[in-house]
Amino acid sequence: VGKSPTISWWDQQEEKWSTEGITEISWESESRKISFWSARLAAFSITQPRYLDLPYKHWSMRAVAPLVVDLKIRAARFELHFVISEDGLRLKGPEEPELHSIMFASPEEANRPDPEGTGAPQVGGGNGHRAPRVRSPATLLKELRECGLNLMPEDGDAEYLDGYTPKAPETQARAYSDLSEIAAFYDIASSKHNKNLPRERALVRVRENPSYDEFDPLDPDCDVDYQAIMFFPDKSCFVKSMEQQSPCNESFDTGHLTHASLYLCYDKVPARQPNHIEQLHRLEVTCTTARFVEAVRQTMQIMRLLSFV
């Protein structure tokens, strides 16, 4: 809850929230008590714009263990930290008291899987240890929205943000599907150039990281270590864009062409490494990796990471 919360009442005739007739709002953060004057009796609620935490300033995804990735998002108000695994999605930060019920499993649900998602039984470690709460991406993000942090944007939210145009659905679907397949072995980071591209094109940066090392995607010295990838509605390609250079260089990398999938972009590289076949095998979706790949894809799709950064 912000320092100056808004109180609204539900107008049944108009079927929308209204602030008419509500005055003298007082919020006591320590006791979490709010008081106000109202000209009518109705259903009241603390309300806020659904785009309050948009746009995303930047985001990055990094593999930290086999089939486990960290997702960090710098939103308008908070920096959020998620962990994606084959079991689903969990919230790791920020450490706000209001979010503890989403971050940690209660004793009643600690050993009960999510009935609507992929969440596995969550066993605490004893000695007061709180078990992490894992849910399907849609379930957890909906609960987070109910706590006042909306990371489930819609196209209409872009109307209230300066300079943002939602990416074409086909481009987003192509990108999220392809990127989820490489997330176990590549760091994936947003690009500042993505915002200024036409809605049919989207841009991200990737860096191979099979050893799970930690790099800062915002460090100018690391810029040359990242490869830019341009996505279209029906294809993708490696491009020469660099984060520290403007405007965006959309030229294809030397010897590269567009391909129907990112997997083919890696397969058809002009200069193959000795371990080329091994690298391709890692990117193949198998029965072992399918649940993880789907959890990553759903998370990126619901958060609309390419439309609001």
Side-chain angles (χ1 to χ4, degrees), residues 9-309:
W9 59 276
W10 181 250
D11 189 332
Q12 292 185 346
Q13 291 184 345
E14 298 292 333
E15 295 186 345
K16 64 178 183 180
W17 293 101
S18 173
T19 58
E20 181 183 355
I22 295 179
T23 58
E24 300 185 33
I25 300 174
S26 175
W27 166 247
E28 300 175 16
S29 57
E30 293 185 0
S31 62
R32 300 189 60 78
K33 176 183 176 182
I34 194 165
S35 58
F36 57 92
W37 288 93
S38 174
R40 59 181 56 78
L41 290 177
F44 298 100
S45 177
I46 299 177
T47 58
Q48 63 187 28
R50 56 172 289 114
Y51 53 86
L52 185 63
D53 290 290
L54 299 174
Y56 308 132
K57 296 182 179 179
H58 55 81
W59 58 264
S60 62
M61 190 179 298
R62 179 178 70 91
V64 294
L67 302 184
V68 179
V69 300
D70 271 4
L71 171 61
K72 295 182 178 180
I73 302 176
R74 185 66 180 99
R77 291 188 298 168
F78 301 100
E79 181 169 353
L80 296 107
H81 186 183
F82 297 90
V83 177
I84 311 173
S85 67
E86 61 181 344
D87 295 326
L89 181 69
R90 77 177 178 95
L91 177 66
K92 198 173 180 180
E95 276 282 353
E96 297 289 337
E98 297 90 340
L99 302 178
H100 282 181
S101 62
I102 298 177
M103 298 172 65
F104 305 106
S106 66
E108 294 77 15
E109 66 181 358
N111 295 307
R112 188 176 68 243
D114 180 6
E116 299 180 357
T118 58
Q122 301 148 70
V123 181
N127 299 323
H129 174 73
R130 293 177 295 180
R133 190 169 184 271
V134 183
R135 289 293 181 265
S136 70
T139 299
L140 188 136
L141 291 173
K142 183 179 180 181
E143 293 174 347
L144 192 61
R145 183 177 63 183
E146 292 173 351
C147 287
L149 272 168
N150 181 30
L151 300 185
M152 304 176 71
E154 299 175 357
D155 284 355
D157 297 328
E159 299 176 6
Y160 303 95
L161 306 174
D162 184 28
Y164 284 85
T165 301
K167 299 300 181 182
E170 297 82 4
T171 300
Q172 293 185 74
R174 174 78 277 152
Y176 300 144
S177 177
D178 282 351
L179 292 172
S180 64
E181 295 178 6
I182 70 170
F185 302 101
Y186 285 79
D187 293 352
I188 306 171
S190 60
S191 171
K192 67 178 183 181
H193 299 304
N194 177 70
K195 173 185 175 182
N196 299 318
L197 294 175
R199 66 187 303 269
E200 293 79 17
R201 299 202 292 271
L203 187 72
V204 298
R205 299 176 295 138
V206 302
R207 172 177 182 159
E208 188 174 12
N209 189 10
S211 301
Y212 312 129
D213 297 323
E214 185 171 2
F215 301 97
D216 182 3
L218 301 180
D219 186 350
D221 294 334
C222 295
D223 196 14
V224 295
D225 298 326
Y226 284 84
Q227 171 65 61
I229 302 177
M230 183 82 72
F231 288 97
F232 303 84
D234 57 352
K235 57 188 178 181
S236 58
C237 185
F238 298 126
V239 295
K240 296 180 179 179
S241 172
M242 300 290 290
E243 199 69 359
Q244 302 303 316
Q245 297 178 7
S246 295
C248 177
N249 187 347
E250 301 181 39
S251 303
F252 297 165
D253 267 0
T254 304
H256 287 267
L257 300 172
T258 58
H259 293 283
S261 70
L262 185 56
Y263 178 88
L264 289 176
C265 290
Y266 284 105
D267 184 22
K268 305 298 182 181
V269 290
R272 296 188 174 186
Q273 300 295 324
N275 62 341
H276 180 71
I277 300 301
E278 178 186 347
Q279 289 179 326
L280 286 180
H281 284 326
R282 290 188 311 180
L283 302 183
E284 294 176 352
V285 180
T286 65
C287 295
T288 305
T289 63
R291 293 177 62 209
F292 165 77
V293 169
E294 181 61 13
V296 174
R297 188 198 67 78
Q298 288 185 19
T299 300
M300 299 183 76
Q301 177 75 50
I302 297 172
M303 290 183 174
R304 308 285 297 279
L305 291 181
L306 292 178
S307 284
F308 292 92
V309 68

